[in-house]
Amino acid sequence: MKSISCTTPQAADLTSLAALADPAFSFGVATAAYQIEGGATEGGRGPSIWDHFSHTPGKTVNGDTGDVACDHFHRWREDLDLIAGLGVDAYRFSIAWPRVQPAGQGAWNPEGIGFYDRLVDGLLERGIQPHVTLYHWDLPQALQELGGWGVRDTAHHFARYAEKMGRLLGDRVSSIATHNEPWCTAFLGHQLGKFAPGLQDWALATQVAHHLLLSHGLALQAMRADGVRAPLGIVLNQSPAHAATDSAADQAAAASARRGFVDWFMDPIFKGCYPEDAGEQRAPLQVAPGDMACIQQPLDFLGLNYYTRIWCSAAQPPVPAPCVEGVNDMGWEIHPQGLEELLLDNQRRYGHLGLPPLHITENGMPEADVLQDGAIHDPRRIEYVRSHLLAVARARSQGVDVRSYFYWSLMDNYEWDSGYAKRFGIVHVDYATQTRTLKDSAHWYRNTIAALRAGSGHG
Ligand code: IFM
């Protein structure tokens, strides 16, 4: 992967990015509540499954927790100024359910509700569109103790929470997503045990995936019945699955990966059924009459999170991924063409099934960034963002209706089981002092957006 050290975009790049210069296309940055807020026991917030999991010895790198994180709960005004200074159009954040409803059912917490109320107003005052995610993995622990996403009741509790938040914020925010990456909640949390609640039960994970989808459908129904005006959707993590070779075994592995990772969520939403051939890999599901129709609600938008492709080799030892563009600090292959492929693929496979406008709700790269003389030089991240924006521009030029790009993440933060060891931000955070410093990539992102907005991208 070539690297760019200059924080000024090249003229040739601006020409190639012209498809994104459209004022209707938004540039943003994204975060999630547990990863940045801290204030875990303040303001009446109840405990979440991530508090519980991260405080369990051995579950996270260095035993790191989100107790303090980026202390955004106290520093949110400065953070909003920081976002405004980047010149972005939009900010995507999530609401911590246990902050607004500590037990996940019953009493609401006015202090927690007030926090998000002020956050949204603060964004609007600064001219930034707020994009809300209702669930980015921090289930109230009290609901986990009643069975968590393994029981249907949780889906109904979630719909009531969505309705409440939709009523509060729905006339001020630019979008509301029900879930972020339900695949991770279901399978990293309940099959692999890497994420909260840390369970390893394949059948349960499959049922959880169904309940998450059901909760999405119920939430959309509830918010629409209540007249919520904001566009409503869901955010899925997707990757193209590539077979290492033409062998039947590798091709089958790629098809199977796609079914489990992409189709398992897309087909219920857009076709009202699970993939027919997924039986080989999934446990028997309990699906009540009406569930699939409930899940198949029309969407106003679909958020896609893209980081890498899935490389499928059935051989032993496996054929390694080529990694022509290198790997990131998580060990994930950097493969910008995969984003263009993914966008075109969504259009081809679901365009005739009511696929709504698409948003790239996450895309980003961790690096072991070092602060030197007050600066952070992160040329590989600049190249990562540049090459992925070019991929989005190519897809748009080919007719894919993609409306935004959100860099993950605004600032370094708590990377789940990896703790604070992985830095995805375009803003560096010194966790000892909570000092924020713009990395070169932040300057490049700001300069690129400004140049496109100034019309330089029209060639
Ligand atoms: O940090 C996460 C985020 O919470 C969800 N999507 C992937 C990111 C990087 O791992």
Side-chain angles (χ1 to χ4, degrees), residues 31-32 35 92 136-137 180-181 184 195 237 305 307 330 332 362 364 366 408-409 413-416 424:
T31 63
Q35 296 181 267
R92 172 175 179 248
H136 200 125
W137 309 350
N180 180 74
E181 303 180 354
C184 294
F195 281 10
N237 47 325
N305 293 354
Y307 289 88
M330 299 286 276
W332 301 343
E362 286 183 28
W408 181 273
S409 175
N413 60 46
Y414 181 72
E415 179 55 24
W416 307 111
F424 276 84

Side-chain angles (χ1 to χ4, degrees), residues 147-170:
W149 289 111
V151 297
R152 289 178 72 88
D153 282 353
T154 302
H156 291 282
H157 296 314
F158 178 76
R160 282 189 279 275
Y161 155 63
E163 183 183 39
K164 176 86 173 174
M165 289 300 105
R167 191 173 297 167
L168 177 77
L169 305 175

Side-chain angles (χ1 to χ4, degrees), residues 78-424:
E78 296 93 304
D79 288 339
L80 297 196
D81 290 341
L82 191 66
I83 297 169
L86 292 173
V88 294
D89 309 296
Y91 175 54
R92 172 175 179 248
F93 64 95
S94 77
I95 294 175
W97 184 356
R99 198 177 282 293
V100 300
Q101 192 179 32
Q105 58 178 320
W108 301 100
N109 174 30
E111 219 179 319
I113 290 175
F115 174 72
Y116 297 108
D117 201 27
R118 288 189 293 279
L119 189 72
V120 166
D121 281 345
L123 286 164
L124 295 174
E125 280 159 19
R126 290 165 178 80
I128 301 162
Q129 308 155 17
H131 291 259
V132 173
T133 302
L134 294 172
Y135 188 78
H136 200 125
W137 309 350
D138 40 2
L139 186 75
Q141 177 64 23
L143 288 187
Q144 185 61 40
E145 279 154 26
L146 298 173
W149 289 111
V151 297
R152 289 178 72 88
D153 282 353
T154 302
H156 291 282
H157 296 314
F158 178 76
R160 282 189 279 275
Y161 155 63
E163 183 183 39
K164 176 86 173 174
M165 289 300 105
R167 191 173 297 167
L168 177 77
L169 305 175
D171 58 348
R172 283 178 285 160
V173 300
S174 296
S175 75
I176 300 179
T178 52
H179 286 278
N180 180 74
E181 303 180 354
W183 182 90
C184 294
T185 305
F187 297 104
L188 295 181
H190 298 80
Q191 180 182 1
L192 300 175
K194 268 170 67 72
F195 281 10
L199 304 176
Q200 291 181 295
D201 179 336
W202 175 63
L204 173 66
T206 309
Q207 192 64 45
V208 162
H210 179 68
H211 289 157
L212 290 166
L213 284 165
L214 179 64
S215 76
H216 157 78
L218 290 168
L220 254 53
Q221 284 179 334
M223 288 191 280
R224 287 201 171 119
D226 209 50
V228 170
R229 291 218 298 268
L232 305 178
I234 189 168
V235 172
L236 303 177
N237 47 325
Q238 290 195 0
S239 292
H242 289 169
T245 70
D246 289 340
S247 77
D250 286 358
Q251 296 292 329
S256 165
R258 188 181 74 181
R259 279 196 299 275
F261 200 62
V262 176
D263 302 0
W264 187 258
F265 294 90
M266 289 293 279
D267 284 10
I269 292 171
F270 291 102
K271 299 181 181 169
C273 60
Y274 285 103
E276 272 175 23
D277 42 6
E280 87 223 18
Q281 56 193 156
R282 300 289 168 209
L285 266 183
Q286 288 170 22
V287 178
D291 281 6
M292 300 315 292
C294 175
I295 294 168
Q296 195 188 7
Q297 299 299 312
L299 299 187
D300 300 318
F301 74 93
L302 173 67
L304 297 177
N305 293 354
Y306 175 77
Y307 289 88
T308 188
R309 64 173 160 179
I310 303 173
W311 183 255
C312 302
S313 169
Q316 281 309 328
V319 176
C323 297
V324 174
E325 308 280 335
V327 294
N328 72 17
D329 200 33
M330 299 286 276
W332 301 343
E333 183 187 10
I334 296 166
H335 190 65
Q337 308 89 291
L339 180 52
E340 178 184 359
E341 178 183 335
L342 190 68
L343 289 165
L344 292 169
D345 218 40
N346 271 279
Q347 180 69 37
R348 185 177 56 78
R349 298 183 64 220
Y350 296 96
H352 60 293
L353 295 171
L355 186 77
L358 301 174
H359 294 255
I360 304 303
T361 32
E362 286 183 28
N363 174 244
M365 151 152 185
E367 277 278 73
D369 299 309
V370 184
L371 183 64
Q372 277 175 325
D373 301 326
I376 296 106
H377 302 302
D378 56 346
R380 277 175 26 105
R381 182 177 288 108
I382 295 177
E383 174 53 19
Y384 184 94
V385 182
R386 174 190 161 273
S387 58
H388 285 78
L389 284 176
L390 287 168
V392 176
R394 288 195 301 273
R396 244 176 97 89
S397 303
Q398 291 168 80
V400 181
D401 187 6
V402 50
R403 304 265 179 103
S404 70
Y405 173 92
F406 289 81
Y407 180 78
W408 181 273
S409 175
L410 162 65
M411 56 187 161
D412 298 336
N413 60 46
Y414 181 72
E415 179 55 24
W416 307 111
D417 59 325
S418 301
Y420 296 98
K422 305 296 176 193
R423 293 180 175 273
F424 276 84

